[in-house]
Amino acid sequence: MPKAAYFHIPFCVNICHYCDFNKVFLKGQPVMEYLACMDTEMERTIQKFPYEKMDTLFIGGGTPTALSAEQLDIFLAAVARHFPVSDVKEYTVEANPEQTTKEKLEVLKKHGVNRLSIGAQAFQPSLLKELGRTHHAGHVEQTVSEAKAIGIDNLSIDLMFGLPGQTMDMFKETIAAALALNVPHISSYSLQVEPKTIFYIRSQKGDLKLPPQELEAEMFEYLMTELERNGYHQYEISNFAKPGYESLHNLQYWDNNEYYGIGAGAHSYMNGVRRVNAGPLKKYMNLVQENGFPYTEENKLTEAERMEEELFMGLRKRKGISSRTFEARYGKPLCDVFGRQIEMLIDRGLLEKDGDWIRLTHSGILLGNEVFSEFISAV
């Protein structure tokens, strides 16, 4: 039964060069009609797949803060009608710094939002331009300051490395700037060039010069060392938090728990079935208006698939996988199902055992995808 819900706002004022999420330009879009369809989807979904208590809500995109303050107010009121926010432990909204005004922050606070995920990515004007971002460092500082001033102090900053034209000195400067903001959570990801993005088109033309893999690895090593030195615990491969500020919502995914996914292109996991919503706005809205549900894919997971996901999702966490939890969930000892793969990866120095737990080693963190692939189609 879901204890988490994700809501997708696909509108963007501009399109970033690396982004492959479901998104459309904001200008000229039927925003209010779309928000009304999300309201309908929430109502119908809860009727069909009821919940007992919600722990986390997460509004992502796209750019949720591309909505006007009035639109945010209407949407968040709809969320609260279906998911009482007084019971929620963590309520996150993704925020683009240049579009997150004080007025919008006050609307978020009014509706119970208690966490922001702020898309900084980098702090150098040249890199931000390369990424297609339209903010500058001052916008990030202003958003952090204004959020803290109204009482939203559970803040996360998103950073990227392995970017075109990014040097080691630039990345060190970015980490220093992020640390100076004194936020309790930092996420940092290496650039992945995904199909249907501007970067992908440029790479196909041979017009995208990325740092060598050795430099990207050096950046990741520096990230881990410097954040740990400054009191941030690496609780997941790409996520670092001060004690007590780990992302409860993302842990729902990594713990392989069920969740709602509301909005165009959103994914959900309910009653053992993974579902994908229609991505194109018109198709999404038509499906919701016709029958209340926008699903275009439904995949009922086999036990083998669920166990595989348990491994390659759970091993992203630094604490790893609990053998006891695995056996309680699936009725089979972990060593009986994946013993061969685990022992082989331990021999290679990529996994380690610590009592009941199995986790990535330092080398395993650097080669995470190689580790995870060993558990796909392994049962």
Side-chain angles (χ1 to χ4, degrees):
M1 187 173 288
K3 292 186 177 181
Y6 171 82
F7 308 88
H8 192 74
I9 303 296
F11 308 112
C12 291
V13 175
N14 64 287
I15 302 298
C16 298
H17 298 172
Y18 55 88
C19 179
D20 71 331
F21 296 145
N22 190 47
K23 75 277 183 187
V24 293
F25 281 111
L26 174 65
K27 188 175 181 180
Q29 297 295 342
V31 176
M32 294 309 298
E33 185 180 357
Y34 175 77
L35 297 180
C37 285
M38 291 184 75
D39 192 354
T40 300
E41 187 192 357
M42 286 184 244
E43 181 179 3
R44 294 296 301 277
T45 299
I46 292 168
Q47 287 173 354
K48 188 171 182 178
F49 307 102
Y51 66 89
E52 290 182 358
K53 183 181 181 297
M54 298 303 292
D55 286 340
T56 68
L57 305 175
F58 192 107
I59 300 173
T63 310
T65 52
L67 298 179
S68 68
E70 181 182 5
Q71 290 165 343
L72 276 172
D73 191 40
I74 291 168
F75 172 63
L76 295 175
V79 172
R81 282 196 300 274
H82 303 293
F83 301 96
V85 298
S86 59
D87 296 335
V88 171
K89 298 175 184 176
E90 181 185 276
Y91 191 173
T92 304
V93 172
E94 288 183 348
N96 264 24
E98 74 275 32
Q99 286 134 22
T100 307
T101 63
K102 185 178 180 182
E103 182 184 12
K104 293 179 186 179
L105 287 169
E106 288 170 346
V107 171
L108 299 183
K109 176 69 173 177
K110 165 188 163 184
H111 287 283
V113 172
N114 57 20
R115 185 175 184 270
L116 290 185
S117 178
I118 302 167
Q121 315 311 354
F123 287 88
Q124 296 79 19
S126 61
L127 290 184
L128 292 171
K129 183 178 179 181
E130 182 73 24
L131 291 169
R133 305 288 291 183
T134 56
H135 73 270
H136 55 71
H139 287 132
V140 180
E141 294 163 6
Q142 182 175 346
T143 298
V144 169
S145 176
E146 289 180 346
K148 288 180 178 179
I150 66 167
I152 303 177
D153 53 11
N154 189 354
L155 304 174
S156 179
I157 295 289
D158 282 354
L159 305 175
M160 298 179 72
F161 60 94
L163 303 176
Q166 188 179 37
T167 65
M168 191 64 201
D169 284 344
M170 283 179 171
F171 189 58
K172 288 181 177 180
E173 183 180 74
T174 287
I175 297 298
L179 290 171
L181 294 171
N182 192 28
V183 296
H185 190 283
I186 294 174
S187 298
S188 189
Y189 304 89
S190 64
L191 173 67
Q192 304 296 312
V193 179
E194 303 287 358
K196 300 180 181 179
T197 64
I198 293 172
F199 274 174
Y200 181 79
I201 294 168
R202 285 179 54 188
S203 71
Q204 294 298 100
K205 295 178 179 177
D207 185 36
L208 188 70
K209 296 180 180 178
L210 300 174
Q213 287 187 340
E214 295 78 11
L215 178 54
E216 185 177 310
E218 186 182 345
M219 290 177 178
F220 188 38
E221 291 270 16
Y222 180 81
L223 171 76
M224 291 188 288
T225 301
E226 189 66 6
L227 292 190
E228 195 76 34
R229 191 174 71 83
N230 282 275
Y232 291 82
H233 170 59
Q234 186 182 16
Y235 69 100
E236 190 269 347
I237 288 178
S238 301
N239 287 271
F240 305 78
K242 295 288 181 72
Y245 287 93
E246 297 81 3
S247 170
L248 300 180
H249 184 81
N250 286 338
L251 282 167
Q252 296 280 355
Y253 301 144
W254 300 321
D255 286 340
N256 205 24
N257 294 331
E258 295 194 343
Y259 56 90
Y260 296 112
I262 305 294
H267 292 225
S268 59
Y269 184 27
M270 302 172 296
N271 289 7
V273 179
R274 292 201 180 274
R275 297 173 174 86
V276 180
N277 287 2
L281 231 57
K282 185 174 287 188
K283 185 174 183 180
Y284 167 81
M285 292 190 294
N286 285 343
L287 286 172
V288 171
Q289 290 162 351
E290 288 167 7
N291 60 34
F293 298 103
Y295 309 136
T296 57
E297 295 179 34
E298 296 188 67
N299 177 31
K300 184 170 180 58
L301 298 185
T302 64
E303 182 179 63
E305 288 171 329
R306 289 190 290 117
M307 290 190 294
E308 288 165 5
E309 288 191 358
E310 189 85 12
L311 267 290
F312 65 75
M313 295 294 288
L315 284 173
R316 292 191 62 87
K317 300 175 296 182
R318 285 304 306 269
K319 69 178 183 180
I321 297 285
S322 162
S323 301
R324 270 189 295 238
T325 299
F326 183 93
E327 185 167 357
R329 182 173 276 193
Y330 300 104
K332 299 176 182 179
L334 178 60
C335 61
D336 286 0
V337 183
F338 295 111
R340 181 182 62 82
Q341 290 86 358
I342 290 170
E343 290 305 321
M344 180 268 291
L345 290 165
I346 289 174
D347 289 343
R348 292 177 57 192
L350 302 179
L351 287 182
E352 62 185 5
K353 286 183 180 178
D354 182 8
D356 177 49
W357 294 86
I358 295 168
R359 63 172 65 95
L360 294 173
T361 62
H362 183 79
S363 297
I365 292 170
L366 299 175
L367 297 171
N369 288 336
E370 190 174 323
V371 174
F372 307 146
S373 66
E374 293 293 336
F375 299 101
I376 298 174
S377 301
V379 181

